[in-house]
Amino acid sequence: MPELPEVEGFRRRLVPVAVGREVTGLAVFDEKRWHPASGLDAGSVKGATIDAIDRAGKMLVYRLSGGLALAMHLKIAGQLVLERPDGPRLVGGHPYPRPGIELPDTSTRFLIELSGDVRLWFNDQRRFGWLRLMPLTEVDLFVASHDYGPDPIAPGFSDAVLGSRLSMRAGRPVKVALLDQSCIAGVGNIYADEALYRARIHPRRLAGSLDARDIARLTVELVGILNIAVPVGGALMRGNRKVDVDSEVDSGRDFLEAHGCAGAACPRCIARGEAGLDDAPRIVRTVVGGRGTYLCPICQTEP
Ligand SMILES: [Zn+2]
């Protein structure tokens, strides 16, 4: 967390507001998370225009006029807050600090100021996120150095692509393979759990044990859950726990059926008519590859 949907969902809302605006200032609140290339500093971006905002895996890349680029990674607890005079605050990434809080607060690492009094705050309670400034000519090489696998919501992603990526990791549990950013890009703990649950595949099954039908189902469910999550800006998670949606007044994000839902009745078992709400199997939490993992023991048969 944040994963592809949280980053991409925010990017899609950020682009129409930020692209074409001039950067009027960059304030660095935490020097340790700030990595300018040699010869560049926060003042270097002043006066540059944002030409494009791209995503690579879970990384955002701001392409600026004047031959510069900013690469940004929210890591496990980064949050972006967009403030503008003519619209509501937009919050993306981690749900904390709480959306209404006055900024900067103790978690604020950066502020990018744009023309028209538009402000983009980068908050991060855990201090793993980072911002890197470099010449535009170096950014593609920088992205490539991360060795990201194919993007699951890009055109051309298919069961053949997923099958080929998983076949290179045949001896590893399928969940571990999905979390490997060089296998496919952007999927983390939430969406790996959710896709495997929906595809009825136990996360501990070896990637090489999946047959063509398993891979076809997993492809459909993975792309499907990402395409549900992206338009609403992703899930509201704190650590491994689903944030109470009622308290956040954001019911559009209540789409998780397995991840963070330990103890809840399995909606798929109920939908199959095999159980009612009271006697349905419960979602359980286990650990796979060192990560908290949620599954239905009936839907997803242990290998
Ligand atoms: Zn079930």
Side-chain angles (χ1 to χ4, degrees):
M1 172 78 199
E3 303 179 25
L4 186 159
E6 288 75 32
V7 177
E8 176 65 12
F10 190 82
R11 189 193 71 84
R12 290 185 186 180
R13 291 182 289 165
L14 178 62
V15 162
V17 179
V19 169
R21 286 190 195 269
E22 181 186 327
V23 180
T24 55
L26 169 60
V28 176
F29 292 80
D30 188 344
E31 292 286 346
K32 287 211 167 97
R33 313 314 305 154
W34 167 236
H35 307 292
S38 168
L40 298 174
D41 60 29
S44 307
V45 297
K46 207 168 171 179
T49 301
I50 299 181
D51 288 335
I53 306 172
D54 303 328
R55 180 183 56 80
K58 305 175 201 172
M59 190 196 306
L60 285 175
V61 176
Y62 301 76
R63 295 175 192 270
L64 308 178
S65 68
L68 293 172
L70 280 168
M72 176 188 275
H73 206 302
L74 302 183
K75 301 301 280 191
I76 59 174
Q79 178 193 64
L80 292 174
V81 178
L82 182 70
E83 285 180 339
R84 50 188 166 155
D86 58 344
R89 246 186 194 197
L90 294 179
V91 181
H94 200 266
Y96 290 83
R98 288 212 168 255
I101 198 170
E102 189 178 333
L103 296 173
D105 85 331
T106 54
S107 72
T108 301
R109 306 293 159 216
F110 303 97
L111 166 63
I112 302 174
E113 292 180 285
L114 304 176
S115 51
D117 287 327
V118 173
R119 292 170 154 199
L120 180 62
W121 300 92
F122 184 157
N123 303 319
D124 182 3
Q125 295 180 322
R126 299 290 298 276
R127 300 186 69 195
F128 287 108
W130 47 255
L131 185 63
R132 185 177 290 267
L133 175 65
M134 69 196 87
L136 188 61
T137 50
E138 292 175 15
V139 76
D140 290 338
L141 200 59
F142 176 75
V143 169
S145 73
H146 287 74
D147 192 27
Y148 290 125
D151 194 289
I153 61 166
F157 189 82
S158 65
D159 49 354
V161 172
L162 181 60
S164 131
R165 305 304 289 184
L166 290 177
S167 71
M168 298 176 209
R169 293 153 184 87
R172 297 164 71 185
V174 60
K175 174 168 177 182
V176 174
L178 290 177
L179 293 181
D180 177 352
Q181 298 300 293
S182 69
C183 178
I184 55 169
V187 175
N189 211 26
I190 302 171
Y191 297 96
D193 276 1
E194 211 60 24
L196 289 166
Y197 165 73
R198 287 167 191 247
R200 306 189 308 278
I201 295 169
H202 197 284
R204 217 172 269 131
R205 274 185 64 186
L206 297 183
S209 78
L210 271 55
D211 64 21
R213 285 171 60 191
D214 292 329
I215 289 169
R217 219 165 52 243
L218 181 55
T219 306
V220 166
E221 298 297 349
L222 176 62
V223 174
I225 186 64
L226 294 175
N227 281 325
I228 288 170
V230 166
V232 294
L236 287 168
M237 299 291 303
R238 180 168 61 178
N240 250 338
R241 201 160 55 79
K242 231 164 78 160
V243 170
D244 179 358
V245 169
D246 288 341
S247 73
E248 298 293 336
V249 198
D250 206 346
S251 57
R253 295 183 174 197
D254 193 16
F255 52 80
L256 298 179
E257 294 181 342
H259 188 87
C261 303
C266 171
R268 305 224 151 206
C269 284
I270 294 169
R272 282 201 304 274
E274 291 173 11
L277 192 57
D278 293 334
D279 59 348
R282 304 281 147 172
I283 301 294
V284 297
R285 182 182 185 276
T286 179
V287 175
V288 177
R291 304 293 299 273
T293 295
Y294 297 83
L295 57 89
C296 170
I298 302 302
C299 295
Q300 295 161 275
T301 315
E302 177 107 36

